[in-house]
Amino acid sequence: MPTYPVKTTAPPPAPAAAPAAARAQLLHDGSVEQYRRTLAAGVDRVARRVATVDQPGTGITPAELAPLVDRVDLDRPLGDASAALDELEDVYLHDAVWFHHPRYLAHLNCPVAIPALLGEAVLTAVNSSLDTWDQSAGATLIERRLIDWTANRIGLGPNADGVFTSGGSQSNLHALLLAREEACAAATSPADRAELLPRLRVITSAAGHFSVQKSAKLLGLAPDAVIAVSTDPQRRIRPAAVRDEIARCRQAGLVVMAVVGTAGTTDFGSIDPLAELAGICAVAGVWLHVDAAYGCGLLVSPTRRHLLDGIERADSVTVDYHKSFFQPVSSSALLVRDRQVLRHATYHADYLNPARMVEQRIPNQVDKSLQTTRRFDALKLWLTLRVIGPDALGALFDEVVDRAADAWELVSEDPRFEVVTRSALSTVVFRYLPTGQGRELADAANLHAREALAASGAALVASTRVDGRHFLKFTLLNPATTVEDVGHVLELIATHAGRYVHDRAAADLTCHVG
């Protein structure tokens, strides 16, 4: 038999041992003192900034800040946390937007509770992952307890369940996934399902969140699957329009898989008539999802809980604790009335959550979630409730709603401004309205005022469109914001907008004379 030479190759070089300094940067029993010093230094930096900032922003532009970030050579470590914090001052902390400042009035960003920050420090150090019991243990039970507590506050009943999510958009996607699968449950074959999917429809409010449309696209529904129905003068969905749309869809051979009601629209803070929607959906046999990402703070309100009446009849509910429970991003959840529907998001992987674990009653949260690896964000809310308590949180949320009512009065009584409907929560939508011939410049003047205000850093407000026109928006989530703060920002807006109208009029006059 022929023989063949044995081919030999040199063994690969042994990997270089990690430097001792690098090993010391990992948290373990030998590095706890460094861990304490490093985190204390970071906390001190942030504390100094919070103590000294005198406006919510600096007004820096992307073009100004980008070169500072681009100059950082990520392949050349500084080797020292203090030096890294110095650098971070330049590329981040100096120009950060500070939501705790009382003249931050733009988006749904809240000042954060200190117990939640404590929870953030603990959860990141331990680094539990909430997908399986063997990665989280007590963390799983804490999250489940908070889900039960929230479901009880909503009133969903003894069969309710849910899971923490990354935010309202993910919760809405998850809810519509469940609704889609429930609508498809009668399909007996892939062909039947394929025929049904293009006929599925979702009814929502014209003032509802854009994530409903985005979710429909991600779920493979038809381009026209989302039907946005009209709202009343308070920007609430019209129940009669929902009832009519369900009937029209059925007559056209379409299947309404869900109605989405909103408890706190992003622009107007409006709360749909949830009890009426629940009645309509019950009669029609349609899934009712309530997007309470913003309005969930009412669950702990000592005076306004009744505004959510009817939410207890929903099939699913979105809540964002990081909006109205004063939690750091992210801290959100999806709740469902019937825990069995969560099976639609379940996939059993042999290496992670094999099916036998269900028989052994091992609680793996990945069985309910769209995510696999997932932070222990529930800890932040847990510590906040244990230190501050729900009643006090609700009182804080009541304060911002009261302040928004005061702000609405202030704007509505000022002849320089036009105000839209009064919010049930904490937004005020308005615009500067020039007098005389300058009224045609209103859109441009309001856009200019917002940009000029942001560039100054003195205050931050949001903008939106209402019936095709540009408006400005206050979103109040900070109990420290006073009516005086709102009045000061209004004066700044009027000054910027008025100057713009004056300059444009002067320019037009010069052009005409020339």
Side-chain angles (χ1 to χ4, degrees):
M1 293 180 63
T3 59
Y4 300 95
V6 177
K7 185 177 181 180
T8 61
T9 57
R23 290 176 180 273
Q25 296 297 335
L26 301 178
L27 179 59
H28 52 77
D29 58 350
S31 63
V32 292
E33 288 305 321
Q34 183 170 348
Y35 163 69
R36 285 194 182 102
R37 289 195 303 271
T38 302
L39 264 65
V43 168
D44 185 61
R45 293 283 182 130
V46 174
R48 277 187 280 161
R49 291 296 302 166
V50 170
T52 57
V53 293
D54 57 1
Q55 56 185 42
T58 65
I60 196 167
T61 66
E64 292 169 325
L65 188 55
L68 295 179
V69 178
D70 291 343
R71 281 201 294 269
V72 175
D73 187 349
L74 294 175
D75 292 315
R76 289 179 169 273
L78 298 171
D80 177 74
S82 180
L85 285 170
D86 289 340
E87 181 181 82
L88 193 66
E89 286 272 359
D90 295 333
V91 299
Y92 177 57
L93 289 175
H94 181 269
D95 298 295
V97 177
W98 298 99
F99 303 142
H100 73 278
H101 195 280
R103 291 176 186 169
Y104 177 86
L105 302 171
H107 302 290
L108 284 164
N109 307 112
C110 58
V112 292
I114 292 174
L117 297 179
L118 172 62
E120 190 77 56
V122 173
L123 74 91
T124 54
V126 180
N127 203 30
S128 298
S129 179
L130 264 289
D131 44 335
T132 58
W133 171 261
D134 63 0
Q135 299 177 72
S136 60
T140 291
L141 300 181
I142 287 174
E143 175 170 301
R144 288 188 167 213
R145 181 70 183 87
L146 285 169
I147 288 293
D148 290 344
W149 176 82
T150 306
N152 185 60
R153 285 274 173 169
I154 295 171
L156 290 177
N159 295 319
D161 201 354
V163 69
F164 270 61
T165 70
S166 65
S169 292
Q170 184 186 331
S171 293
N172 288 343
L173 171 63
H174 197 161
L176 291 178
L177 166 69
L178 302 180
R180 185 195 69 181
E181 293 306 296
E182 287 292 292
C184 290
T188 57
S189 70
D192 290 341
R193 181 184 175 95
E195 187 277 332
L196 176 61
L197 282 174
R199 297 191 292 118
L200 294 179
R201 295 294 182 268
V202 177
I203 297 174
T204 189
S205 162
H209 197 261
F210 72 89
S211 61
V212 175
Q213 283 81 0
K214 190 172 183 177
S215 295
K217 182 176 182 180
L218 293 172
L219 292 171
L221 304 184
D224 58 348
V226 177
I227 301 169
V229 302
S230 61
T231 60
D232 64 17
Q234 285 74 48
R235 308 287 166 166
R236 302 174 302 178
I237 198 170
R238 294 180 185 270
V242 174
R243 187 184 297 108
D244 292 346
E245 197 58 48
I246 291 175
R248 187 197 68 79
C249 285
R250 288 185 171 171
Q251 188 173 17
L254 304 173
V255 177
V256 178
M257 73 178 216
V259 169
V260 179
T262 308
T265 58
T266 304
D267 275 345
F268 306 105
S270 50
I271 299 174
D272 289 337
L274 303 179
E276 291 182 71
L277 291 182
I280 291 169
C281 289
V283 170
V286 172
W287 183 286
L288 173 62
H289 174 63
V290 175
D291 178 359
Y294 177 11
C296 64
L298 297 174
L299 293 172
V300 291
S301 167
T303 64
R304 293 181 170 89
R305 173 59 180 82
H306 64 280
L307 295 177
L308 294 179
D309 285 353
I311 195 172
E312 69 281 357
R313 299 170 65 188
D315 294 287
S316 55
V317 178
T318 287
V319 297
D320 267 11
Y321 308 108
H322 62 226
K323 286 186 172 66
S324 48
F325 277 70
F326 306 99
Q327 298 297 290
V329 174
S330 61
S331 182
S332 306
L334 171 72
L335 290 301
V336 297
R337 163 179 300 285
D338 178 6
R339 61 168 52 93
Q340 295 301 317
V341 300
L342 291 170
R343 72 188 186 281
H344 296 307
T346 302
Y347 185 89
H348 291 291
D350 288 339
Y351 81 94
L352 187 69
N353 62 327
R356 67 176 183 274
M357 288 186 171
V358 177
E359 299 171 3
Q360 298 167 358
R361 303 178 66 85
I362 295 174
N364 291 323
Q365 293 294 83
V366 71
D367 294 351
K368 311 172 184 180
S369 178
L370 299 185
Q371 298 170 261
T372 303
T373 302
R374 191 162 54 82
R375 285 163 49 93
F376 182 24
D377 286 314
L379 180 60
K380 297 177 287 191
L381 179 61
W382 177 272
L383 286 177
T384 302
L385 292 176
R386 300 310 298 139
V387 175
I388 299 176
D391 293 343
L393 285 177
L396 287 175
F397 190 60
D398 269 357
E399 283 190 37
V400 299
V401 177
D402 288 340
R403 198 75 68 250
D406 295 337
W408 187 89
E409 294 283 356
L410 190 66
V411 180
S412 64
E413 293 172 0
D414 192 324
R416 298 171 297 178
F417 297 98
E418 175 187 12
V419 65
V420 189
T421 181
R422 187 168 186 163
S423 171
L425 294 176
S426 62
T427 62
V428 182
V429 180
F430 66 99
R431 66 174 178 161
Y432 177 81
L433 203 57
T435 57
Q437 295 181 347
R439 291 175 69 92
E440 65 189 39
L441 299 178
D443 279 4
N446 281 279
L447 288 175
H448 171 80
R450 178 178 185 262
E451 293 168 1
L453 192 63
S456 73
L460 289 170
V461 301
S463 66
T464 190
R465 290 174 69 90
V466 180
D467 301 329
R469 311 301 306 205
H470 288 287
F471 277 73
L472 303 177
K473 182 177 69 168
F474 290 154
T475 305
L476 287 82
L477 281 180
N478 190 348
T481 299
T482 65
V483 176
E484 289 72 25
D485 288 315
V486 173
H488 180 76
V489 176
L490 282 175
E491 289 302 322
L492 293 176
I493 291 169
T495 298
H496 289 304
R499 184 178 298 123
Y500 176 85
V501 172
H502 176 270
D503 291 347
R504 277 286 300 271
D508 290 346
L509 180 61
T510 301
C511 181
H512 179 73
V513 172

